[in-house]
């Protein structure tokens, strides 16, 4: 289930880029999360009634909705805007790989975790790799200022993801994952609708090719609704620690999709920076230790996934 989830998330970057090529980035975000909100509402209606869940704490729905402002609206506003300027390859590397580095850095700076040698050894190459990657994006071979601006927006998305990863457990404690994801997605979709409203009249809906609608449906149903349900079941089986390590397969799937379907590529400087960033992120996330199987725990609270759909590693 987790492997299927990683394929859905990894392919979502290239699929989102295909939609952005035909409609404004704000409209693309609305198409994806408006559809995702409808799909999750349907799943909550049919699946939520079958499970004897305990009543949610008072104000849990409001907190989940507020979390959607960061995890859905802010994250995806920057994400889709960045896709209009830079290749999906950059997004699929910077967001899922840099976010754990930023999360670890914040935990160390605030004293919430001790600075082990393995964690520091991962942060140093992780941040160095990110700098090298950005230098490659700003060069003429990497795409110039437009690509650099898009990568900067992907960095904003990574910051949003890291911030929500840290705040998610406290904000959404005691809430059923499906219900919390639905609340957050619906709240974010409403704001995305308001953000996209000025651009909606300019879209020539009748002239959009069928591929745009197919990609939008895939993003809403596959990369959001189905992937979330599979992810929570997979986390319950193997535990959040093992599941989080599988997130590092997302850049691999994204690279294959971006290269094969969109003809995108990385310059040599960016490729070197991505390799260093990935090694540092893995070391920072694992602290030099691999989680043992059988350490399953309860599914974590939702937060934005690397491809823009709400969930948490």
């Amino acid at each position: 289930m987790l492997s299927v989830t990683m394929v859905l998330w990894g392919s979502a970057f290239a699929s989102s880029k295909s939609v952005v090529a035909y409609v404004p980035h704000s409209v693309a975000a609305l198409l994806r999360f408006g559809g995702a909100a409808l799909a999750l509402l349907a799943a909550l209606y049919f699946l939520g009634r079958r499970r004897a869940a305990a009543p949610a704490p008072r104000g849990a729905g409001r907190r989940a909705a507020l979390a959607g402002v960061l995890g859905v609206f802010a994250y995806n506003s920057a994400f889709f805007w960045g896709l209009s300027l830079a290749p999906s390859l950059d997004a699929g590397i910077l967001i899922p790989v840099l976010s754990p580095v930023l999360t670890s850095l914040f935990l160390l700076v605030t004293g919430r975790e001790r600075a082990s040698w393995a964690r520091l050894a991962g942060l140093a190459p992780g941040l160095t790799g990110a700098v090298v990657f950005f230098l490659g994006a700003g060069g003429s071979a990497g795409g110039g200022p437009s690509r650099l601006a898009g990568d900067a927006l992907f960095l904003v998305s990574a910051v949003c993801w890291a911030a929500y990863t840290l705040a998610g457990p406290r904000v959404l404690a005691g809430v059923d994952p499906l219900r919390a994801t639905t609340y957050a997605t619906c709240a974010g979709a409403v704001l995305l609708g308001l953000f996209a409203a000025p651009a909606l009249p300019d879209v020539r809906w009748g002239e959009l090719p069928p591929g745009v609608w197919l990609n939008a449906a895939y993003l809403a149903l596959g990369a959001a609704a189905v992937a979330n349900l599979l992810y929570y079941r997979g986390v319950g089986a193997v535990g959040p620690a093992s599941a989080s390590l599988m997130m590092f397969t997302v850049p691999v799937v994204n690279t294959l999709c971006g290269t094969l379907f969109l003809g995108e590529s990385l310059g040599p400087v960016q490729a070197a920076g991505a390799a260093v960033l990935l090694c540092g992120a893995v070391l920072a996330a694992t602290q030099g230790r691999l989680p043992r199987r059988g350490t399953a725990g309860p599914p974590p609270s939702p937060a934005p996934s690397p491809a823009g759909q709400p969930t948490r590693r």
Side-chain angles (χ1 to χ4, degrees):
M1 288 186 290
L2 288 172
S3 297
V4 172
T5 300
M6 299 307 138
V7 171
L8 292 172
W9 284 350
S11 60
F13 291 96
S15 185
S16 299
K17 179 70 174 181
S18 298
V19 177
V20 171
Y22 288 92
V23 298
H25 59 86
S26 58
V27 177
L30 175 61
L31 287 176
R32 176 173 181 173
F33 284 93
L38 294 176
L40 288 171
L41 284 172
L44 183 63
Y45 178 79
F46 289 107
L47 300 179
R49 297 189 305 174
R50 298 179 183 178
R51 49 177 80 175
R58 185 176 181 180
R62 182 177 65 255
R63 292 195 299 271
L66 291 175
V69 175
L70 176 64
V72 177
F73 173 67
Y75 174 90
N76 287 284
S77 295
F79 169 68
F80 278 91
W81 190 3
L83 280 179
S84 67
L85 301 172
S88 64
L89 283 182
D90 295 9
I93 293 174
L94 287 175
I95 297 176
V97 180
L98 188 57
S99 293
V101 175
L102 296 175
T103 302
S104 298
L105 180 62
F106 179 84
L107 292 173
L108 293 179
V109 171
T110 58
R112 294 169 61 178
E113 285 190 1
R114 289 188 295 179
S116 65
W117 70 268
R119 178 66 62 87
L120 293 176
L123 287 177
L127 295 176
T128 301
V131 172
V132 174
F133 191 94
F134 274 91
L135 291 176
S140 57
S146 177
R147 188 169 187 170
L148 183 60
D151 286 357
L153 288 167
F154 295 146
L155 175 59
V156 174
S157 295
V159 171
C160 290
W161 182 15
Y164 191 74
T165 299
L166 295 166
R170 183 176 302 176
V171 173
L172 303 175
V175 186
D176 175 70
L178 176 58
R179 188 174 301 274
T181 301
T182 303
Y183 290 161
T185 303
C186 289
V190 170
L191 292 177
L192 288 173
L194 296 176
F195 183 61
L200 290 175
D202 298 330
V203 179
R204 298 181 178 179
W205 299 100
E207 299 179 7
L208 293 180
V212 174
W213 297 108
L214 290 175
N215 273 291
Y218 170 75
L219 291 170
L221 300 177
V226 173
N228 278 336
L229 296 177
L230 292 179
Y231 180 71
Y232 288 126
R233 292 180 182 273
V235 170
V238 304
S242 297
S244 66
L245 290 182
M246 294 196 67
M247 296 294 293
F248 293 110
T249 64
V250 170
V252 178
V253 177
N254 168 69
T255 300
L256 291 175
C257 291
T259 302
L260 294 177
F261 299 119
L262 300 180
E264 298 178 344
S265 62
L266 294 175
V269 177
Q270 282 186 299
V276 176
L277 173 58
L278 180 60
C279 293
V282 172
L283 185 57
T286 62
Q287 300 187 59
R289 301 186 301 271
L290 293 178
R292 294 180 296 178
R293 293 181 60 87
T295 57
S301 303
S305 79
Q309 65 274 7
T311 187
R312 181 175 184 267
R313 292 175 302 136

